[in-house]
Structures are given as structure tokens and as C-alpha cells.
Amino acid sequence: MNTNVLKIGSGKISEVQSTLEKSSISGKILYVADPYVDSLYGAVIRPQMEAVGQIIEQRVDNNAISYAMDLAECVISADVSCIVTMGGGKTLDIGKYAAFVSKRPFLSIPTSMSHDGIVSPIAVLKRKDGKTRSLGCAMPSMMIMDTELIASCPSQLIKAGIGDTISNYMALKDWDFAVARGKDEMNGYAYMMARTALDAILKTQYDHICPEFLGVLANSLVMSGIAMDYAGSSRPVSGSEHLFSHALDYFCEKQNLHGLNVALGTVAVLKMIGEDPTEVVDYLRKFEVDVHPERMGISEDTFVYCMQHATEMRKNRYTYLHETDLNEKKLRGIYRELLEEL
Ligand SMILES: [Zn+2]
């Protein structure tokens, strides 16, 4: 792990300059931003970067691997000393991958908290054929999460971030299960980090989304990212509920936010393996994270199909679903129970 500057809190956006200075950044800085996000906050961070060096600007409108590689080449040939990226997950992943390829320091400034990928050592980028790929890279070496700024993003994005963190609940059960079956290795440090990320939000004193809670959520997302970094894969934070969500990405007509899909998957798989999902359901309800399948546009047929095909979504990720009875009648019953209970 090589994250060495991490700032979380209200108003932290004003610490871009001091962060760069402390990391001895000077010369050319590649500033990569989503155009909309730049129109909102560019005026706040641009003068801070100009105080340190000379800005080269790039607007991001896609998340293609080739685009990230082009940026990496620009960084190398123009002798850029650092990449600063501000925006949501897609924009951050472009900057993250370009920094990894060009071996430059990377300052990440997320403007939302919709999933744990914003602080992970993984970039999800598009290939030429349009399919996305999760590419291993490095954690951002500098990160600023301004909770006040993030509080102004749509609340659904924050709720999705809660859902992605809650999914550690199922992911860790799946990891234990896979290890017990001799299908995977345990990494105690990574396990503990993912568990701590989960406990921090499950046991929070806050009962609604407020700036203080966003600080807790930000910490949890970072810990999930560090867990992935320690494990060298997404295993600590991604189990059967993520396989189900990947199937929904492929087969569900209505596309929902990743964090909501995995939260639904967590409740559904817990029921399928005969475990009580009450703690998770009550938590989601408290924060008004709505994962009712019908309201998410997931039909009974789609639910059944995605559960039955979830294990095909990813090789080498052994989970409870590999040994659970997935007969149609049982799955239809669970879907109907979810309609009542969520
Ligand atoms: Zn996730």
C-alpha cells in the first residue's frame, strides 16, 4: 500500500495546495476532471494547483482503457510530475490508471461516495468492444474527501455507498466459507480491515445521513479499499452478492446503482442460505436505502435468472451460491418474501 496522504472531513477541499506541497509536487500537474464537476468546484482547486505548478487540463467524457493510456503517454512525454483527478468513480479510474501506468503520484478528489472503488487499487475501464474490465493498479497516493462537498451530491449516490459497504457482511461470510471448503486462502489483515469497515457503519451512533455520518462512511470506504490492497484482490469486499449484481448488470433491463444491487444481493443470499437478514434489513431501512426489487425494476424472472447464473460471472470466486439449491420454486418464493420485507 502506498497511500500516504489521506484527508477526510468538512472543508478539506481547501487543502489541495498544502497536500501537493507536502508531497513535494512542483512543475506540471495534469488536472483531469469531469466537465460538470469542474464547473462546480474547479474554481476552488485550480488556484491551489497554480500556486504549486503549471496546470495541463484534460476533460474526461469516457472511461476507455485507450483514453487512460493516452493520458499516461501525455504525462510521460510532457514530463508531468503529478496527476490530480476530481469527479465520480469513472473519472477517478481514468486518472488512477494513467497514474499507475506513468508511475506518477496521484491526488484523488472524489465528489461522491457511491462505492468502494473510489479508494481501491482497482480501475474499472472499458475495452474497445465496450465491455468493462477491472484492472489492478495502485491505491491513490494522496486522497482528499471533503464531506461537505460530497454531502451536496444526490442522496441516492450516498445510499449506494452505504449499500456497497453493507455488502461486506455477505462477502466476508463467503470468504470464510470458501476457505473452509479449501477453495481460497485467508488473509487475516485484509479480513480485519473489511470487517472493521463494516462494523464502523453498522455500529455508528448516527441514524440518518448527515455530514458526521459521511465522515464515518468515508472511513469505511477507505478501509474497504485498503482491505482490497492487502488481499491483492476484491475478495474481502466482494462475494456472492457481487456475483448477483454482475449478473444484473448483464441481464437486467433497468440498470441500478452498483451499491443498491449488492445490498439487495446481500439480503437475498442471506435468506437463501437460511440466515436471518434482519440486522441488514433494519439498517438499510434506517438510512432509507430502498432495495425493493420491484421498485428497482427487477422482475421475478430476472431475479431468478440472475441468481441461477451469478456463479458464472466470475471464475475463482467461490461462494455459498456454489453449494446452494437454486431451484426456481425456492427462488420465486424468496423474491416474493423480499417484496414483503423490503
Ligand atoms: Zn462493490
Side-chain angles (χ1 to χ4, degrees):
M1 194 203 26
N2 56 7
T3 299
N4 42 38
V5 181
L6 174 62
K7 296 190 171 179
I8 299 174
S10 180
K12 292 291 176 190
I13 190 82
S14 65
E15 296 182 19
V16 170
Q17 182 181 340
S18 60
T19 298
L20 293 171
E21 282 170 349
K22 274 188 194 140
S23 299
S24 307
I25 304 295
S26 60
K28 293 176 190 163
I29 296 169
L30 180 68
Y31 169 47
V32 182
D34 170 89
Y36 177 65
V37 166
D38 181 62
S39 73
L40 294 177
Y41 310 113
V44 180
I45 72 162
R46 221 179 272 118
Q48 298 187 63
M49 291 187 286
E50 275 162 356
V52 177
Q54 177 199 343
I55 302 176
I56 300 174
E57 289 198 37
Q58 281 288 342
R59 301 296 169 93
V60 172
D61 56 4
N62 70 85
N63 66 331
I65 296 172
S66 56
Y67 182 57
M69 298 302 280
D70 284 350
L71 281 189
E73 194 183 341
C74 155
V75 165
I76 294 163
S77 49
D79 254 336
V80 165
S81 61
C82 173
I83 301 179
V84 176
T85 302
M86 180 167 67
K90 282 184 182 167
T91 308
L92 297 178
D93 280 0
I94 285 283
K96 197 196 282 181
Y97 201 66
F100 173 69
V101 173
S102 61
K103 303 279 179 286
R104 293 303 196 273
F106 174 49
L107 169 56
S108 174
I109 309 172
T111 51
S112 67
M113 283 192 204
S114 59
H115 55 84
D116 54 27
I118 55 173
V119 270
S120 72
I122 294 166
V124 179
L125 298 174
K126 241 182 206 147
R127 301 192 306 203
K128 280 211 171 69
D129 62 7
K131 287 190 178 135
T132 53
R133 275 283 167 273
S134 295
L135 306 167
C137 51
M139 295 281 280
S141 48
M142 297 167 275
M143 174 161 299
I144 293 176
M145 295 172 92
D146 187 324
T147 47
E148 194 184 324
L149 182 153
I150 291 169
S152 63
C153 79
S155 66
Q156 272 302 88
L157 295 177
I158 293 164
K159 290 175 184 178
I162 295 172
D164 204 17
T165 312
I166 281 293
S167 80
N168 289 15
Y169 192 100
M170 191 62 231
L172 290 170
K173 277 184 188 293
D174 280 317
W175 195 4
D176 277 330
F177 179 75
V179 172
R181 288 288 192 271
K183 304 283 187 185
D184 209 338
E185 300 283 327
M186 182 46 71
N187 177 320
Y189 289 116
Y191 190 96
M192 189 196 73
M193 292 303 290
R195 180 79 228 179
T196 307
L198 172 67
D199 285 344
I201 70 157
L202 266 185
K203 294 176 181 157
T204 177
Q205 58 178 307
Y206 306 107
D207 61 1
H208 64 285
I209 295 170
C210 56
E212 292 80 12
F213 172 74
L214 289 185
V216 176
L217 179 59
N219 275 292
S220 282
L221 293 170
V222 172
M223 280 188 275
S224 287
I226 296 172
M228 285 187 248
D229 202 35
Y230 264 101
S233 80
S234 61
R235 176 92 237 191
V237 299
S238 167
S240 50
E241 76 299 326
H242 271 70
L243 297 178
F244 170 67
S245 125
H246 296 324
L248 285 174
D249 292 341
Y250 272 98
F251 304 118
C252 186
E253 259 178 47
K254 167 112 192 284
Q255 291 292 296
N256 289 287
L257 290 166
H258 167 80
L260 302 180
N261 281 341
V262 296
L264 169 62
T266 297
V267 178
V269 178
L270 284 171
K271 289 173 76 69
M272 285 163 60
I273 63 173
E275 293 216 12
D276 184 3
T278 307
E279 188 183 10
V280 173
V281 172
D282 286 351
Y283 187 86
L284 295 173
R285 193 168 291 138
K286 186 162 73 174
F287 285 91
E288 297 174 344
V289 183
D290 185 7
V291 294
H292 188 276
E294 217 166 58
R295 287 195 288 273
M296 287 170 77
I298 301 166
S299 69
E300 188 174 313
D301 286 345
T302 303
F303 176 84
V304 170
Y305 190 85
C306 288
M307 273 299 173
Q308 288 180 332
H309 291 81
T311 58
E312 297 157 23
M313 291 296 120
R314 181 178 179 147
K315 286 178 198 147
N316 308 321
R317 182 63 40 100
Y318 202 79
T319 68
Y320 272 101
L321 282 183
H322 290 76
E323 295 184 24
T324 302
D325 181 6
L326 299 170
N327 80 69
E328 193 180 322
K329 189 162 169 259
K330 178 181 166 189
L331 288 170
R332 288 191 185 281
I334 285 182
Y335 180 85
R336 283 166 206 167
E337 283 174 27
L338 290 169
L339 294 186
E340 298 287 318
E341 293 164 19
L342 288 172

